[in-house]
Amino acid sequence: MNSIPEALLNLRGETKYIDDLPETKDLLHAVPCGTPLARGRITSIDAAAALALHPSVRVITARDIPGTNQLGQAVPDEPLLVADDPASPAAEWGFRGQVYALVLAGSKSLARKAAGLVKLAYEELEPVTDPRVAKEKGLLILGPRTQAMGDPAAAFAAAKWVVQGRVESGGQEHVYLETQGAYAWPLEGGAVKVVSGTQHPSGVQEGIATVLGLSMHKVEVEAQRLGGGFGGKEDQAALWAALAALGARISGKPVKLVLSRKDDLTMTGKRHPYSSDFRIGLDAKGMITAFEADYYQNSGAICDLSPAILSRTLFHAAGSYRIPNLRVTGYMCRTNLPPFTAFRGFGAPQAFFVIEAAIDAAARKSGIPAEEIRRANLLKEGDSFHFGMPVEACQAGTCWERLIEKAAWKETRAEMAAFNKAHRLEKKGGAIVPVCFGVSFTKLMMNQGGALVHVYHDGSVGVSTGAVEMGQQVSRKIARVAAATLGIDIDRIKVERTSTLTVANTFPTAASTGSDINGMAAQAACQEIKARLIGVAATALGVPAQELSIEAGRVMRSGSPSTLSWEDLVHRTYESRVDLSAHGFYATPNLVYDMKAERGSPFAYHVYGAAAVTVSLDVLRGRYTLDRAVIIHDGGESIDLAVDRGQVEGALAQGLGWALLEDLAFDPKGRLLADTLSTYKVPDLHFMPPRMDIEFLQGLPNPKAVLHSKAIGEPPLVYGLAGYWAVLDALDAARPGGPGLYDLPLTPEKCLDYLEEKRP
Ligand code: MTE
Ligand code: HPA
Ligand code: MOS
């Protein structure tokens, strides 16, 4: 029976990704053609030279789309292909690398070569890349959105200290190991099947149905697993899947489209860069009395998930702090850069950086240490968030105190100060950052999921849900939930690939809710089957069902083993003609939100934590190394501690990368400067602190999620910000009285500039 865990298959190199799927003889390879500049209008596409290359070559343009040339959901601004009809408004494109043609050929190299021969005639238009310029020009995707509480104007007037400033945070490339891709083949009756590298099979199904003009039941979408998603395949996998499906529909042959790394880097979206203004007010004791912020979200050329991401920014504007008077406004600024999209944290890290920068600035002006301001203003039980949700099961203070203890922070600070006094060319720095992260999709409707469970008559179990496995081990967690619910060993459970045929109308595996929602749905289905099994056992044993349970693969009567094993029971149930399959459904309860009033409880619960990072700075060169990270994390009762630890470590790495290292730079013409993995730097083992101590709070079962667990995927990314403030702390030791620097990532180049006082 023994089903093999996903992690072990990964380790052995046995997991199959899209490019590993077997290729049939008639397979066509697809290569997209992307626009050469950030903004322009197509006048014509000339495919003659490409077509002349080989008889297998086909060039598909917008004219070939049988359905609607549109993938945009919130806003219809996302054509599948830029139109080659100069009279159409869809002939204007919005970013460099936007797809205008798809080339098919019998081999990948041929398809690449042919794609290079497609000639584009166009008119160049002036691009906008700066979100503030876009806002001035009125280029907003949707209207601004504001959340407010209390009376900020009065609070600022009464404040002892008022500080304002500007904050920049850069974007971030997902660098999933598996690039975006899809494999599509035509089925009988005009239907199509697509294996897609997507976090959202139902969304891909809908997109394909729209562009092919099919009803959804003719489009089957499957995701076996992804070689990483990190948000990059929540919305943006649909384009590649729809292109592959279009190719299959038009050619009548299987089509495989797997992006080259370079195409993936230039053509797909990344984390949103933000430019923000803040104003913070403190009373004489260092309590934050007022906070205001304007967030200029660089949304890129297409709406994509920008509204949902902005929404999460606003919900996390106050970070982990109690701020009685607050007013925050977000602008979705349309620019001529690739469509920025979901990335682990989903707008919350950007908000955290702004409030932490405001506190840093307030500390510089008031002379009160930033750490004291942070500690004094942490959320407490009974407070409420600025959108009216009560603060419950608050662990902000617990995490902070435990961190101070575990990291021996007082001693660490004293050692760093002594070191800095004794050394001129090397400086130590450290910082603590608290985290409070809301769990649930900010869009209420998305908080639902389904499952389909089959118990086969040999006693093995297959579980399908809407959750997509992308390395986060959601399949492991769901297997644990099913095993615990049915009372059997985990190696009897196999979690199946995700398909629109098994579970329909699902939402993306995102918002860290994969195991929360799909685990609950799987649990519901297992409970239903278990009730039927117990009914059969009651008849077989001649005892009331209430006395029976299943534990460790055996039917138990009032806690003692009966004669019935799991296999016996399943077989009897089968013989008794009782259904061994069930569908389960879960909709997160008690979520309410009034968008007009900006009031309600949009989250099922919050995840708390705190991280301390210490660093050493080479003052001459501006280089730094990370010495240690200590993290206290409130993870509820973990379903799998090894998985959760891995998620915290991985998220920390990604957070540190965003805060310190990853420089997603575009030139004023909208061209991505580091467009290869040899020039775009991501954290590696050597970058990470050699000492990492991660502790999970114990004895805090979470009643709001499956098996009393807590979502884990995104919140720990914010810990990476501790690295930013730690490096700035070391810079301050080298340049006392400096103005502060709120411009992430804090690369060694920027450190050197700061030390040489080139920056404000
Ligand atoms: N971990 C791995 N290994 N690979 C991923 O792609 N995505 C992250 C996080 N952890 C990701 C990951 C993101 S952005 C989210 S929202 C969650 O996993 C999604 O999965 P979950 O909801 O099942 O935790
Ligand atoms: N988080 C992640 N993905 C999402 C969300 C969210 O809150 N809303 C829509 N997609
Ligand atoms: Mo994660 S950014 O919600 O896919």
Side-chain angles (χ1 to χ4, degrees):
M1 207 161 284
N2 299 329
S3 78
I4 303 168
E6 173 85 10
L8 197 58
L9 293 177
N10 272 337
L11 199 67
R12 291 184 190 160
E14 288 174 9
T15 35
K16 297 265 184 273
Y17 298 89
I18 288 175
D19 218 7
D20 302 322
L21 295 175
E23 299 184 354
T24 54
K25 248 193 172 152
D26 58 346
L27 177 80
L28 294 175
H29 292 266
V31 170
C33 297
T35 53
L37 300 161
R39 190 168 164 234
R41 188 181 295 116
I42 296 183
T43 48
S44 72
I45 297 171
D46 177 2
L51 293 170
L53 193 64
H54 191 269
S56 73
V57 173
R58 298 192 73 133
V59 178
I60 296 171
T61 65
R63 295 172 194 268
D64 302 313
I65 295 172
T68 312
N69 184 18
Q70 188 54 251
L71 288 173
Q73 307 239 332
V75 175
D77 63 352
E78 188 176 354
L80 177 70
L81 291 165
V82 185
D84 55 339
D85 168 8
S88 156
E92 185 176 324
W93 78 78
F95 68 97
R96 183 171 175 264
Q98 193 165 354
V99 185
Y100 63 88
L102 186 73
V103 176
L104 306 179
S107 77
K108 196 153 187 175
S109 56
L110 199 57
R112 276 220 189 99
K113 207 163 161 194
L117 294 174
V118 176
K119 281 196 208 86
L120 188 69
Y122 57 87
E123 184 190 326
E124 186 176 350
L125 299 168
E126 197 55 42
V128 175
T129 58
D130 182 325
R132 291 182 189 252
V133 172
K135 151 113 196 323
E136 269 163 38
K137 295 190 167 194
L139 299 169
L140 295 182
I141 290 180
L142 295 171
R145 187 167 163 192
T146 296
Q147 293 181 348
M149 169 173 173
D151 185 349
F156 276 117
K160 166 91 197 263
W161 309 102
V162 175
V163 192
Q164 58 188 36
R166 179 167 164 165
V167 180
E168 307 290 337
S169 63
Q172 185 176 22
E173 166 55 44
H174 300 89
V175 199
Y176 24 61
L177 289 181
E178 183 189 23
T179 56
Q180 303 254 11
Y183 196 156
W185 56 96
L187 300 177
E188 54 202 29
V192 59
K193 169 158 181 175
V194 182
V195 178
S196 163
T198 178
Q199 295 173 234
H200 188 12
S202 291
V204 169
Q205 180 191 27
E206 186 178 356
I208 294 173
T210 305
V211 300
L212 294 190
L214 295 173
S215 29
M216 283 171 77
H217 70 190
K218 284 196 164 176
V219 182
E220 176 186 342
V221 177
E222 180 181 302
Q224 165 113 355
R225 71 169 60 71
L226 318 183
F230 305 112
K233 297 167 183 172
E234 180 176 340
D235 226 41
Q236 300 214 347
L239 173 64
W240 314 108
L243 286 172
L246 177 66
R249 164 73 167 259
I250 286 172
S251 66
K253 293 185 175 154
V255 169
K256 190 191 252 187
L257 191 171
V258 174
L259 288 188
S260 67
R261 181 62 67 179
K262 189 145 185 150
D263 280 351
D264 194 301
L265 289 169
T266 52
M267 293 175 156
T268 73
K270 301 131 206 328
R271 184 191 298 285
H272 290 75
Y274 274 53
S275 181
S276 312
D277 296 318
F278 68 80
R279 193 148 76 109
I280 189 167
L282 265 64
D283 69 12
K285 288 193 219 126
M287 299 306 289
I288 304 171
T289 52
F291 177 66
E292 275 180 354
D294 285 314
Y295 305 97
Y296 300 95
Q297 179 196 62
N298 192 334
S299 311
I302 287 169
C303 177
D304 192 272
L305 289 163
S306 294
I309 288 160
L310 185 68
S311 154
R312 191 167 281 275
T313 302
L314 297 177
F315 284 130
H316 290 79
S320 303
Y321 308 104
R322 178 178 176 276
I323 305 180
N325 304 286
L326 170 150
R327 185 183 176 83
V328 289
T329 301
Y331 301 92
M332 293 168 43
C333 310
R334 196 189 291 278
T335 61
N336 298 108
L337 295 180
F340 293 109
T341 191
F343 194 135
R344 206 170 193 173
F346 205 78
Q350 290 94 324
F352 269 90
F353 187 50
V354 175
I355 179 67
E356 296 299 347
I359 290 176
D360 184 90
R364 279 168 210 273
K365 179 141 180 192
S366 68
I368 309 170
E371 240 156 61
E372 270 176 40
I373 302 178
R374 290 185 174 127
R375 173 66 190 103
N377 288 280
L378 284 179
L379 285 164
K380 289 193 195 69
E381 197 73 17
D383 287 343
S384 77
F385 293 100
H386 64 266
F387 39 93
M389 178 172 177
V391 175
E392 283 170 358
C394 178
Q395 304 301 336
T398 325
C399 290
W400 184 282
E401 298 308 342
R402 177 67 195 126
L403 182 65
I404 298 284
E405 198 183 336
K406 187 169 174 95
W409 197 244
K410 264 177 104 173
E411 296 76 7
T412 304
R413 276 253 171 253
E415 281 163 23
M416 289 193 297
F419 181 95
N420 289 345
K421 216 167 161 191
H423 296 80
R424 203 164 59 87
L425 298 181
E426 193 186 351
K427 297 290 181 188
K428 304 271 184 200
I432 298 182
V433 165
V435 172
C436 164
F437 197 97
V439 177
S440 289
F441 286 98
T442 57
K443 194 168 174 189
L444 207 137
M445 173 198 163
M446 296 176 77
N447 295 286
Q448 53 171 312
L452 178 66
V453 176
H454 299 310
V455 175
Y456 294 96
H457 66 75
D458 67 351
S460 63
V461 180
V463 180
S464 300
T465 71
V468 173
E469 177 58 50
M470 47 185 143
Q472 88 281 38
Q473 302 303 310
V474 67
S475 50
R476 170 95 183 151
K477 290 191 170 180
I478 287 171
R480 275 261 161 104
V481 170
T485 311
L486 292 171
I488 57 178
D489 202 68
I490 192 167
D491 69 6
R492 291 181 193 269
I493 316 274
K494 179 165 180 280
V495 175
E496 289 298 342
R497 60 182 77 94
T498 315
S499 164
T500 54
L501 286 194
T502 45
V503 184
N505 307 318
T506 59
F507 283 94
T509 302
S512 308
T513 61
S515 55
D516 279 22
I517 293 178
N518 297 281
M520 282 290 205
Q523 189 176 54
C526 290
Q527 277 164 345
E528 195 174 320
I529 297 175
K530 189 172 161 180
R532 294 185 209 137
L533 290 167
I534 293 277
V536 171
T539 311
L541 297 171
V543 296
Q546 306 85 272
E547 290 179 14
L548 297 178
S549 61
I550 307 172
E551 284 163 45
R554 179 156 296 275
V555 178
M556 309 289 281
R557 183 181 174 190
S558 309
S560 313
S562 77
T563 51
L564 268 185
S565 71
W566 168 258
E567 271 91 358
D568 299 337
L569 176 59
V570 168
H571 200 75
R572 259 175 200 272
T573 309
Y574 177 55
E575 280 178 345
S576 315
R577 301 191 294 162
V578 171
D579 188 6
L580 282 168
S581 298
H583 169 73
F585 181 76
Y586 184 72
T588 314
N590 306 320
L591 302 177
V592 281
Y593 202 73
D594 177 344
M595 284 282 292
K596 248 205 176 124
E598 294 285 5
R599 282 286 177 282
S601 292
F603 300 118
Y605 58 91
H606 283 76
V607 170
Y608 294 89
V613 170
T614 49
V615 304
S616 302
L617 174 75
D618 171 343
V619 176
L620 276 185
R621 296 174 186 82
R623 294 195 310 215
Y624 49 76
T625 50
L626 307 178
D627 297 329
R628 189 180 181 200
V630 187
I631 290 171
I632 306 296
H633 189 83
D634 153 43
E637 273 176 10
S638 176
I639 296 178
D640 189 308
L641 203 55
V643 168
D644 284 356
R645 191 170 290 273
Q647 285 292 299
V648 173
E649 286 177 5
L652 173 69
Q654 260 175 338
L656 288 168
W658 173 61
L660 294 172
L661 201 60
E662 298 182 43
D663 200 0
L664 189 85
F666 295 89
D667 74 7
K669 289 275 187 193
R671 183 192 178 97
L672 180 64
L673 294 177
D675 62 354
T676 61
L677 290 190
S678 55
T679 50
Y680 184 79
K681 237 178 149 170
V682 288
D684 58 11
L685 205 58
H686 302 289
F687 182 74
M688 293 301 284
R691 287 184 71 190
M692 276 197 281
D693 301 302
I694 299 166
E695 180 179 308
F696 291 86
L697 290 184
Q698 297 298 309
L700 292 167
N702 174 28
K704 307 283 175 70
V706 66
L707 302 183
H708 301 121
S709 65
K710 277 200 173 188
I712 188 83
E714 297 171 281
L717 183 131
V718 184
Y719 296 143
L721 280 177
Y724 187 97
W725 302 110
V727 172
L728 188 58
D729 190 48
L731 287 170
D732 282 328
R735 183 190 167 183
L741 175 60
Y742 311 127
D743 181 3
L744 153 177
L746 191 40
T747 56
E749 291 89 330
K750 271 187 210 159
C751 288
L752 202 56
D753 282 352
Y754 187 74
L755 291 169
E756 292 179 354
E757 305 189 17
K758 273 195 213 147
R759 277 169 192 269

